[in-house]
Amino acid sequence: MRSWCWNRIPVEGNFGRTYDMVNSSVHNLTQHFSARLIVKEEQHETLVGIDVSAEQIVGEVTAHIQQHSARLHRAASFLRLLLSFTFLLVFIS
């Protein structure tokens, strides 16, 4: 079996030593490694001199989305109507 493995699976001569070194390095990192995360939050006003609350922003965004949703609904209804007329014209002809 050894000659078969030797011929078909080429391995560098110092593979075992390199593997042991990498394995011990990873083990040492888990034992002697620590990290500390410091988070600093800063408050900034978006526009100087304008006091806008979160509720106002949410209201404006919601109104904007509803407006675009209504436009999309109208366009879909128009497309459905156009498709119905096309079907009728094909059916009649």
Side-chain angles (χ1 to χ4, degrees):
M1 241 359 227
R2 181 175 178 189
S3 63
W4 184 88
C5 289
W6 189 264
N7 291 334
R8 296 206 172 49
I9 305 172
V11 177
E12 301 260 342
N14 61 352
F15 175 76
R17 189 171 9 144
T18 305
Y19 176 80
D20 288 338
M21 287 174 59
V22 169
N23 196 22
S24 94
S25 296
V26 169
H27 180 70
N28 286 338
L29 277 176
T30 59
Q31 296 297 321
H32 305 290
F33 184 76
S34 66
R36 192 173 79 181
L37 180 66
I38 299 173
V39 178
K40 182 179 179 184
E41 182 179 348
E42 295 181 5
Q43 297 287 336
H44 294 285
E45 289 187 27
T46 334
L47 300 172
V48 178
I50 297 177
D51 187 25
V52 180
S53 68
E55 291 83 19
Q56 289 175 330
I57 293 174
V58 168
E60 288 180 15
V61 169
T62 303
H64 190 69
I65 289 174
Q66 287 175 347
Q67 182 182 19
H68 282 289
S69 175
R71 285 182 186 168
L72 183 64
H73 184 68
R74 282 192 301 254
S77 297
F78 178 74
L79 187 63
R80 192 177 303 123
L81 183 67
L82 188 63
L83 190 62
S84 298
F85 281 129
T86 304
F87 175 75
L88 288 175
L89 284 175
V90 168
F91 187 71
I92 289 172
S93 65

